[in-house]
mmCIF file of all heavy atoms in Angstrom:
data_model
loop_
_atom_site.group_PDB
_atom_site.id
_atom_site.type_symbol
_atom_site.label_atom_id
_atom_site.label_comp_id
_atom_site.label_asym_id
_atom_site.label_seq_id
_atom_site.Cartn_x
_atom_site.Cartn_y
_atom_site.Cartn_z
ATOM 1 N N SER A 17 93.005 129.101 239.232
ATOM 2 C CA SER A 17 93.113 128.501 240.564
ATOM 3 C C SER A 17 93.421 129.564 241.613
ATOM 4 O O SER A 17 92.870 129.531 242.725
ATOM 5 C CB SER A 17 94.225 127.429 240.574
ATOM 6 O OG SER A 17 93.890 126.357 239.721
ATOM 7 N N THR A 18 94.272 130.504 241.249
ATOM 8 C CA THR A 18 94.604 131.591 242.167
ATOM 9 C C THR A 18 93.380 132.443 242.464
ATOM 10 O O THR A 18 93.074 132.757 243.628
ATOM 11 C CB THR A 18 95.723 132.457 241.576
ATOM 12 O OG1 THR A 18 96.874 131.639 241.294
ATOM 13 C CG2 THR A 18 96.119 133.576 242.537
ATOM 14 N N TYR A 19 92.651 132.819 241.412
ATOM 15 C CA TYR A 19 91.447 133.643 241.583
ATOM 16 C C TYR A 19 90.445 132.973 242.521
ATOM 17 O O TYR A 19 89.900 133.613 243.443
ATOM 18 C CB TYR A 19 90.816 133.894 240.218
ATOM 19 C CG TYR A 19 89.409 134.452 240.284
ATOM 20 C CD1 TYR A 19 89.183 135.789 240.564
ATOM 21 C CD2 TYR A 19 88.309 133.627 240.082
ATOM 22 C CE1 TYR A 19 87.892 136.295 240.646
ATOM 23 C CE2 TYR A 19 87.008 134.123 240.154
ATOM 24 C CZ TYR A 19 86.802 135.454 240.433
ATOM 25 O OH TYR A 19 85.529 135.945 240.513
ATOM 26 N N LEU A 20 90.204 131.679 242.309
ATOM 27 C CA LEU A 20 89.206 130.984 243.112
ATOM 28 C C LEU A 20 89.570 130.960 244.589
ATOM 29 O O LEU A 20 88.692 130.928 245.458
ATOM 30 C CB LEU A 20 89.018 129.550 242.613
ATOM 31 C CG LEU A 20 88.335 129.420 241.247
ATOM 32 C CD1 LEU A 20 88.304 127.965 240.805
ATOM 33 C CD2 LEU A 20 86.934 129.996 241.279
ATOM 34 N N SER A 21 90.868 131.016 244.906
ATOM 35 C CA SER A 21 91.293 130.981 246.304
ATOM 36 C C SER A 21 90.899 132.259 247.047
ATOM 37 O O SER A 21 90.976 132.300 248.285
ATOM 38 C CB SER A 21 92.800 130.746 246.404
ATOM 39 O OG SER A 21 93.539 131.892 246.006
ATOM 40 N N TYR A 22 90.490 133.300 246.322
ATOM 41 C CA TYR A 22 90.096 134.568 246.938
ATOM 42 C C TYR A 22 88.566 134.756 246.980
ATOM 43 O O TYR A 22 88.086 135.787 247.439
ATOM 44 C CB TYR A 22 90.716 135.742 246.212
ATOM 45 C CG TYR A 22 92.212 135.803 246.355
ATOM 46 C CD1 TYR A 22 93.048 135.163 245.442
ATOM 47 C CD2 TYR A 22 92.814 136.472 247.423
ATOM 48 C CE1 TYR A 22 94.429 135.174 245.589
ATOM 49 C CE2 TYR A 22 94.189 136.489 247.574
ATOM 50 C CZ TYR A 22 94.983 135.846 246.649
ATOM 51 O OH TYR A 22 96.350 135.855 246.802
ATOM 52 N N LEU A 23 87.804 133.774 246.513
ATOM 53 C CA LEU A 23 86.354 133.929 246.500
ATOM 54 C C LEU A 23 85.808 134.077 247.910
ATOM 55 O O LEU A 23 86.145 133.291 248.784
ATOM 56 C CB LEU A 23 85.689 132.712 245.845
ATOM 57 C CG LEU A 23 85.585 132.648 244.333
ATOM 58 C CD1 LEU A 23 84.735 131.437 243.935
ATOM 59 C CD2 LEU A 23 84.984 133.920 243.738
ATOM 60 N N PRO A 24 84.919 135.042 248.123
ATOM 61 C CA PRO A 24 84.245 135.112 249.426
ATOM 62 C C PRO A 24 83.265 133.951 249.564
ATOM 63 O O PRO A 24 82.823 133.363 248.575
ATOM 64 C CB PRO A 24 83.512 136.463 249.360
ATOM 65 C CG PRO A 24 83.309 136.714 247.905
ATOM 66 C CD PRO A 24 84.490 136.104 247.206
ATOM 67 N N VAL A 25 82.900 133.626 250.790
ATOM 68 C CA VAL A 25 82.053 132.471 251.057
ATOM 69 C C VAL A 25 80.749 132.525 250.279
ATOM 70 O O VAL A 25 80.255 131.518 249.767
ATOM 71 C CB VAL A 25 81.783 132.356 252.568
ATOM 72 C CG1 VAL A 25 80.758 131.273 252.855
ATOM 73 C CG2 VAL A 25 83.075 132.064 253.316
ATOM 74 N N ASP A 26 80.166 133.727 250.132
ATOM 75 C CA ASP A 26 78.862 133.827 249.489
ATOM 76 C C ASP A 26 78.926 133.616 247.970
ATOM 77 O O ASP A 26 77.888 133.595 247.299
ATOM 78 C CB ASP A 26 78.181 135.157 249.806
ATOM 79 C CG ASP A 26 78.979 136.374 249.320
ATOM 80 O OD1 ASP A 26 80.103 136.182 248.817
ATOM 81 O OD2 ASP A 26 78.472 137.494 249.441
ATOM 82 N N LYS A 27 80.141 133.434 247.417
ATOM 83 C CA LYS A 27 80.261 133.168 245.985
ATOM 84 C C LYS A 27 80.769 131.756 245.683
ATOM 85 O O LYS A 27 80.919 131.400 244.511
ATOM 86 C CB LYS A 27 81.203 134.180 245.331
ATOM 87 C CG LYS A 27 80.618 135.591 245.242
ATOM 88 C CD LYS A 27 81.522 136.493 244.427
ATOM 89 C CE LYS A 27 80.941 137.892 244.277
ATOM 90 N NZ LYS A 27 81.801 138.751 243.430
ATOM 91 N N VAL A 28 81.028 130.995 246.717
ATOM 92 C CA VAL A 28 81.563 129.652 246.490
ATOM 93 C C VAL A 28 80.535 128.764 245.789
ATOM 94 O O VAL A 28 80.866 127.955 244.928
ATOM 95 C CB VAL A 28 82.018 129.019 247.826
ATOM 96 C CG1 VAL A 28 82.420 127.560 247.633
ATOM 97 C CG2 VAL A 28 83.190 129.816 248.405
ATOM 98 N N ALA A 29 79.268 128.914 246.142
ATOM 99 C CA ALA A 29 78.180 128.199 245.468
ATOM 100 C C ALA A 29 77.371 129.213 244.674
ATOM 101 O O ALA A 29 77.190 130.368 245.083
ATOM 102 C CB ALA A 29 77.289 127.485 246.476
ATOM 103 N N PHE A 30 76.858 128.787 243.522
ATOM 104 C CA PHE A 30 76.023 129.669 242.701
ATOM 105 C C PHE A 30 74.897 128.863 242.049
ATOM 106 O O PHE A 30 75.061 127.686 241.748
ATOM 107 C CB PHE A 30 76.843 130.418 241.652
ATOM 108 C CG PHE A 30 77.571 129.534 240.675
ATOM 109 C CD1 PHE A 30 76.985 129.171 239.469
ATOM 110 C CD2 PHE A 30 78.858 129.083 240.959
ATOM 111 C CE1 PHE A 30 77.663 128.363 238.564
ATOM 112 C CE2 PHE A 30 79.535 128.282 240.049
ATOM 113 C CZ PHE A 30 78.942 127.924 238.853
ATOM 114 N N PRO A 31 73.729 129.494 241.859
ATOM 115 C CA PRO A 31 72.579 128.763 241.316
ATOM 116 C C PRO A 31 72.713 128.528 239.811
ATOM 117 O O PRO A 31 73.376 129.294 239.105
ATOM 118 C CB PRO A 31 71.414 129.691 241.629
ATOM 119 C CG PRO A 31 72.020 131.065 241.625
ATOM 120 C CD PRO A 31 73.403 130.883 242.184
ATOM 121 N N LEU A 32 72.098 127.471 239.346
ATOM 122 C CA LEU A 32 71.991 127.172 237.914
ATOM 123 C C LEU A 32 70.538 127.264 237.493
ATOM 124 O O LEU A 32 69.634 126.991 238.278
ATOM 125 C CB LEU A 32 72.550 125.779 237.625
ATOM 126 C CG LEU A 32 74.039 125.567 237.941
ATOM 127 C CD1 LEU A 32 74.405 124.097 237.845
ATOM 128 C CD2 LEU A 32 74.902 126.386 237.013
ATOM 129 N N LYS A 33 70.323 127.619 236.249
ATOM 130 C CA LYS A 33 68.956 127.766 235.734
ATOM 131 C C LYS A 33 68.395 126.406 235.365
ATOM 132 O O LYS A 33 68.854 125.763 234.410
ATOM 133 C CB LYS A 33 68.934 128.692 234.510
ATOM 134 C CG LYS A 33 67.534 128.904 233.962
ATOM 135 C CD LYS A 33 67.565 129.717 232.685
ATOM 136 C CE LYS A 33 66.160 129.851 232.116
ATOM 137 N NZ LYS A 33 66.163 130.570 230.802
ATOM 138 N N MET A 34 67.408 125.958 236.122
ATOM 139 C CA MET A 34 66.742 124.697 235.826
ATOM 140 C C MET A 34 65.525 124.975 234.940
ATOM 141 O O MET A 34 64.650 125.755 235.296
ATOM 142 C CB MET A 34 66.295 124.005 237.100
ATOM 143 C CG MET A 34 67.417 123.560 238.015
ATOM 144 S SD MET A 34 66.827 122.782 239.544
ATOM 145 C CE MET A 34 65.953 121.342 238.891
ATOM 146 N N ASN A 35 65.508 124.368 233.768
ATOM 147 C CA ASN A 35 64.355 124.470 232.869
ATOM 148 C C ASN A 35 63.435 123.283 233.168
ATOM 149 O O ASN A 35 63.752 122.131 232.844
ATOM 150 C CB ASN A 35 64.821 124.431 231.413
ATOM 151 C CG ASN A 35 65.789 125.565 231.102
ATOM 152 O OD1 ASN A 35 65.400 126.718 230.976
ATOM 153 N ND2 ASN A 35 67.077 125.239 230.981
ATOM 154 N N THR A 36 62.330 123.566 233.836
ATOM 155 C CA THR A 36 61.473 122.492 234.347
ATOM 156 C C THR A 36 60.104 122.508 233.661
ATOM 157 O O THR A 36 59.596 123.541 233.231
ATOM 158 C CB THR A 36 61.267 122.608 235.862
ATOM 159 O OG1 THR A 36 60.661 123.883 236.148
ATOM 160 C CG2 THR A 36 62.602 122.544 236.592
ATOM 161 N N ASP A 37 59.525 121.327 233.527
ATOM 162 C CA ASP A 37 58.137 121.162 233.089
ATOM 163 C C ASP A 37 57.638 119.840 233.690
ATOM 164 O O ASP A 37 58.301 119.248 234.551
ATOM 165 C CB ASP A 37 58.005 121.177 231.561
ATOM 166 C CG ASP A 37 58.869 120.127 230.865
ATOM 167 O OD1 ASP A 37 59.175 119.083 231.497
ATOM 168 O OD2 ASP A 37 59.229 120.330 229.690
ATOM 169 N N ASN A 38 56.465 119.385 233.246
ATOM 170 C CA ASN A 38 55.885 118.194 233.849
ATOM 171 C C ASN A 38 56.649 116.911 233.501
ATOM 172 O O ASN A 38 56.382 115.850 234.053
ATOM 173 C CB ASN A 38 54.405 118.044 233.458
ATOM 174 C CG ASN A 38 54.214 117.964 231.960
ATOM 175 O OD1 ASN A 38 55.187 118.002 231.190
ATOM 176 N ND2 ASN A 38 52.970 117.868 231.533
ATOM 177 N N ARG A 39 57.617 117.017 232.582
ATOM 178 C CA ARG A 39 58.430 115.848 232.214
ATOM 179 C C ARG A 39 59.669 115.707 233.082
ATOM 180 O O ARG A 39 60.298 114.640 233.123
ATOM 181 C CB ARG A 39 58.858 115.939 230.753
ATOM 182 C CG ARG A 39 57.700 116.038 229.760
ATOM 183 C CD ARG A 39 58.249 116.263 228.358
ATOM 184 N NE ARG A 39 59.082 117.468 228.300
ATOM 185 C CZ ARG A 39 60.008 117.704 227.364
ATOM 186 N NH1 ARG A 39 60.231 116.787 226.416
ATOM 187 N NH2 ARG A 39 60.706 118.816 227.388
ATOM 188 N N GLY A 40 60.085 116.790 233.747
ATOM 189 C CA GLY A 40 61.306 116.782 234.556
ATOM 190 C C GLY A 40 62.048 118.099 234.425
ATOM 191 O O GLY A 40 61.431 119.166 234.474
ATOM 192 N N SER A 41 63.353 118.046 234.215
ATOM 193 C CA SER A 41 64.136 119.273 234.107
ATOM 194 C C SER A 41 65.335 119.059 233.194
ATOM 195 O O SER A 41 65.768 117.937 232.950
ATOM 196 C CB SER A 41 64.607 119.732 235.493
ATOM 197 O OG SER A 41 65.529 118.806 236.029
ATOM 198 N N PHE A 42 65.853 120.204 232.694
ATOM 199 C CA PHE A 42 67.071 120.211 231.896
ATOM 200 C C PHE A 42 67.895 121.416 232.357
ATOM 201 O O PHE A 42 67.391 122.546 232.367
ATOM 202 C CB PHE A 42 66.764 120.312 230.406
ATOM 203 C CG PHE A 42 67.998 120.361 229.541
ATOM 204 C CD1 PHE A 42 68.657 119.187 229.186
ATOM 205 C CD2 PHE A 42 68.509 121.570 229.103
ATOM 206 C CE1 PHE A 42 69.798 119.240 228.392
ATOM 207 C CE2 PHE A 42 69.646 121.620 228.302
ATOM 208 C CZ PHE A 42 70.286 120.443 227.950
ATOM 209 N N THR A 43 69.146 121.178 232.730
ATOM 210 C CA THR A 43 69.979 122.233 233.305
ATOM 211 C C THR A 43 71.351 122.230 232.649
ATOM 212 O O THR A 43 72.050 121.210 232.669
ATOM 213 C CB THR A 43 70.135 122.034 234.828
ATOM 214 O OG1 THR A 43 68.847 121.942 235.429
ATOM 215 C CG2 THR A 43 70.913 123.199 235.439
ATOM 216 N N GLU A 44 71.740 123.367 232.076
ATOM 217 C CA GLU A 44 73.107 123.503 231.576
ATOM 218 C C GLU A 44 74.042 123.673 232.753
ATOM 219 O O GLU A 44 73.787 124.443 233.682
ATOM 220 C CB GLU A 44 73.231 124.716 230.655
ATOM 221 C CG GLU A 44 72.497 124.568 229.328
ATOM 222 C CD GLU A 44 72.796 125.723 228.375
ATOM 223 O OE1 GLU A 44 73.819 126.404 228.575
ATOM 224 O OE2 GLU A 44 71.973 125.949 227.468
ATOM 225 N N LEU A 45 75.173 122.930 232.709
ATOM 226 C CA LEU A 45 76.160 122.986 233.794
ATOM 227 C C LEU A 45 77.356 123.842 233.418
ATOM 228 O O LEU A 45 77.736 124.748 234.157
ATOM 229 C CB LEU A 45 76.621 121.578 234.162
ATOM 230 C CG LEU A 45 75.550 120.583 234.586
ATOM 231 C CD1 LEU A 45 76.191 119.242 234.916
ATOM 232 C CD2 LEU A 45 74.757 121.102 235.770
ATOM 233 N N LEU A 46 77.974 123.545 232.290
ATOM 234 C CA LEU A 46 79.196 124.228 231.856
ATOM 235 C C LEU A 46 79.183 124.411 230.356
ATOM 236 O O LEU A 46 78.731 123.540 229.615
ATOM 237 C CB LEU A 46 80.435 123.434 232.259
ATOM 238 C CG LEU A 46 80.744 123.232 233.742
ATOM 239 C CD1 LEU A 46 81.913 122.263 233.892
ATOM 240 C CD2 LEU A 46 81.059 124.568 234.407
ATOM 241 N N ARG A 47 79.753 125.542 229.926
ATOM 242 C CA ARG A 47 80.003 125.777 228.510
ATOM 243 C C ARG A 47 81.484 126.048 228.316
ATOM 244 O O ARG A 47 82.146 126.558 229.224
ATOM 245 C CB ARG A 47 79.207 127.002 228.011
ATOM 246 C CG ARG A 47 77.701 126.785 227.939
ATOM 247 C CD ARG A 47 76.977 128.053 227.536
ATOM 248 N NE ARG A 47 75.623 127.769 227.071
ATOM 249 C CZ ARG A 47 75.118 128.174 225.921
ATOM 250 N NH1 ARG A 47 75.853 128.935 225.100
ATOM 251 N NH2 ARG A 47 73.896 127.867 225.571
ATOM 252 N N THR A 48 82.013 125.706 227.148
ATOM 253 C CA THR A 48 83.411 125.989 226.818
ATOM 254 C C THR A 48 83.486 126.661 225.461
ATOM 255 O O THR A 48 82.551 126.571 224.665
ATOM 256 C CB THR A 48 84.260 124.707 226.809
ATOM 257 O OG1 THR A 48 83.896 123.920 225.671
ATOM 258 C CG2 THR A 48 84.068 123.913 228.081
ATOM 259 N N PHE A 49 84.619 127.311 225.194
ATOM 260 C CA PHE A 49 84.809 127.934 223.895
ATOM 261 C C PHE A 49 85.006 126.904 222.791
ATOM 262 O O PHE A 49 84.534 127.077 221.668
ATOM 263 C CB PHE A 49 86.030 128.864 223.923
ATOM 264 C CG PHE A 49 85.836 130.125 224.712
ATOM 265 C CD1 PHE A 49 86.724 130.486 225.710
ATOM 266 C CD2 PHE A 49 84.743 130.945 224.472
ATOM 267 C CE1 PHE A 49 86.551 131.655 226.439
ATOM 268 C CE2 PHE A 49 84.559 132.115 225.184
ATOM 269 C CZ PHE A 49 85.458 132.470 226.183
ATOM 270 N N ASN A 50 85.705 125.828 223.100
ATOM 271 C CA ASN A 50 86.146 124.910 222.053
ATOM 272 C C ASN A 50 85.708 123.460 222.254
ATOM 273 O O ASN A 50 85.948 122.625 221.378
ATOM 274 C CB ASN A 50 87.681 124.923 221.960
ATOM 275 C CG ASN A 50 88.229 126.293 221.638
ATOM 276 O OD1 ASN A 50 87.753 126.945 220.733
ATOM 277 N ND2 ASN A 50 89.219 126.732 222.411
ATOM 278 N N HIS A 51 85.093 123.152 223.374
ATOM 279 C CA HIS A 51 84.810 121.744 223.675
ATOM 280 C C HIS A 51 83.374 121.523 224.108
ATOM 281 O O HIS A 51 83.077 120.620 224.892
ATOM 282 C CB HIS A 51 85.773 121.234 224.746
ATOM 283 C CG HIS A 51 87.213 121.388 224.359
ATOM 284 N ND1 HIS A 51 87.806 120.625 223.378
ATOM 285 C CD2 HIS A 51 88.171 122.251 224.793
ATOM 286 C CE1 HIS A 51 89.072 120.985 223.246
ATOM 287 N NE2 HIS A 51 89.308 121.978 224.086
ATOM 288 N N GLY A 52 82.452 122.300 223.561
ATOM 289 C CA GLY A 52 81.047 122.049 223.773
ATOM 290 C C GLY A 52 80.542 122.404 225.145
ATOM 291 O O GLY A 52 81.073 123.278 225.817
ATOM 292 N N GLN A 53 79.487 121.700 225.579
ATOM 293 C CA GLN A 53 78.871 122.004 226.845
ATOM 294 C C GLN A 53 78.407 120.740 227.536
ATOM 295 O O GLN A 53 78.235 119.682 226.916
ATOM 296 C CB GLN A 53 77.692 122.965 226.676
ATOM 297 C CG GLN A 53 76.462 122.365 226.011
ATOM 298 C CD GLN A 53 75.319 123.357 225.952
ATOM 299 O OE1 GLN A 53 75.467 124.458 225.443
ATOM 300 N NE2 GLN A 53 74.156 122.959 226.488
ATOM 301 N N VAL A 54 78.222 120.851 228.868
ATOM 302 C CA VAL A 54 77.743 119.738 229.686
ATOM 303 C C VAL A 54 76.440 120.159 230.349
ATOM 304 O O VAL A 54 76.321 121.267 230.861
ATOM 305 C CB VAL A 54 78.788 119.360 230.763
ATOM 306 C CG1 VAL A 54 78.264 118.175 231.588
ATOM 307 C CG2 VAL A 54 80.127 119.021 230.123
ATOM 308 N N SER A 55 75.457 119.235 230.317
ATOM 309 C CA SER A 55 74.156 119.497 230.916
ATOM 310 C C SER A 55 73.727 118.269 231.699
ATOM 311 O O SER A 55 74.308 117.183 231.581
ATOM 312 C CB SER A 55 73.115 119.808 229.842
ATOM 313 O OG SER A 55 73.560 120.847 228.991
ATOM 314 N N VAL A 56 72.690 118.434 232.512
ATOM 315 C CA VAL A 56 72.098 117.293 233.208
ATOM 316 C C VAL A 56 70.608 117.296 232.947
ATOM 317 O O VAL A 56 69.955 118.344 233.021
ATOM 318 C CB VAL A 56 72.420 117.307 234.719
ATOM 319 C CG1 VAL A 56 71.830 118.532 235.411
ATOM 320 C CG2 VAL A 56 71.944 116.028 235.392
ATOM 321 N N ASN A 57 70.075 116.138 232.590
ATOM 322 C CA ASN A 57 68.664 115.971 232.264
ATOM 323 C C ASN A 57 68.017 115.036 233.282
ATOM 324 O O ASN A 57 68.569 113.966 233.587
ATOM 325 C CB ASN A 57 68.513 115.393 230.860
ATOM 326 C CG ASN A 57 67.072 115.234 230.463
ATOM 327 O OD1 ASN A 57 66.395 116.186 230.112
ATOM 328 N ND2 ASN A 57 66.580 113.997 230.508
ATOM 329 N N VAL A 58 66.887 115.443 233.818
ATOM 330 C CA VAL A 58 66.121 114.610 234.737
ATOM 331 C C VAL A 58 64.767 114.318 234.104
ATOM 332 O O VAL A 58 64.027 115.243 233.755
ATOM 333 C CB VAL A 58 65.928 115.293 236.110
ATOM 334 C CG1 VAL A 58 65.101 114.399 237.034
ATOM 335 C CG2 VAL A 58 67.275 115.631 236.746
ATOM 336 N N SER A 59 64.465 113.018 233.921
ATOM 337 C CA SER A 59 63.194 112.602 233.346
ATOM 338 C C SER A 59 62.358 111.893 234.401
ATOM 339 O O SER A 59 62.856 110.978 235.083
ATOM 340 C CB SER A 59 63.426 111.639 232.170
ATOM 341 O OG SER A 59 64.148 112.262 231.151
ATOM 342 N N LYS A 60 61.119 112.300 234.525
ATOM 343 C CA LYS A 60 60.223 111.670 235.499
ATOM 344 C C LYS A 60 59.827 110.271 235.022
ATOM 345 O O LYS A 60 60.003 109.922 233.845
ATOM 346 C CB LYS A 60 58.996 112.531 235.726
ATOM 347 C CG LYS A 60 59.311 113.861 236.422
ATOM 348 C CD LYS A 60 58.073 114.627 236.791
ATOM 349 C CE LYS A 60 58.401 115.900 237.547
ATOM 350 N NZ LYS A 60 59.069 115.630 238.844
ATOM 351 N N PRO A 61 59.318 109.437 235.918
ATOM 352 C CA PRO A 61 58.969 108.055 235.552
ATOM 353 C C PRO A 61 58.055 107.979 234.319
ATOM 354 O O PRO A 61 57.077 108.741 234.203
ATOM 355 C CB PRO A 61 58.231 107.544 236.805
ATOM 356 C CG PRO A 61 58.848 108.332 237.930
ATOM 357 C CD PRO A 61 59.099 109.689 237.349
ATOM 358 N N GLY A 62 58.405 107.090 233.379
ATOM 359 C CA GLY A 62 57.603 106.841 232.192
ATOM 360 C C GLY A 62 57.753 107.865 231.093
ATOM 361 O O GLY A 62 57.135 107.709 230.029
ATOM 362 N N ILE A 63 58.559 108.891 231.281
ATOM 363 C CA ILE A 63 58.653 109.996 230.332
ATOM 364 C C ILE A 63 59.674 109.660 229.221
ATOM 365 O O ILE A 63 60.729 109.076 229.457
ATOM 366 C CB ILE A 63 59.068 111.287 231.047
ATOM 367 C CG1 ILE A 63 57.935 111.787 231.943
ATOM 368 C CG2 ILE A 63 59.480 112.367 230.062
ATOM 369 C CD1 ILE A 63 56.665 112.180 231.174
ATOM 370 N N THR A 64 59.321 110.093 227.983
ATOM 371 C CA THR A 64 60.242 110.019 226.853
ATOM 372 C C THR A 64 60.688 111.430 226.489
ATOM 373 O O THR A 64 59.843 112.340 226.355
ATOM 374 C CB THR A 64 59.575 109.368 225.645
ATOM 375 O OG1 THR A 64 59.184 108.035 225.977
ATOM 376 C CG2 THR A 64 60.513 109.339 224.440
#
């Protein structure tokens, strides 16, 4: 929390790698050492 309070404005937001194809996208959000990872998946209409 202390470290984040010193972030310059240009580091407050950062890009994430979106893996995209004609079905939509899959993006990893967060990884942890002991509690897995969180991602977000976007599926286009009618896609499995």
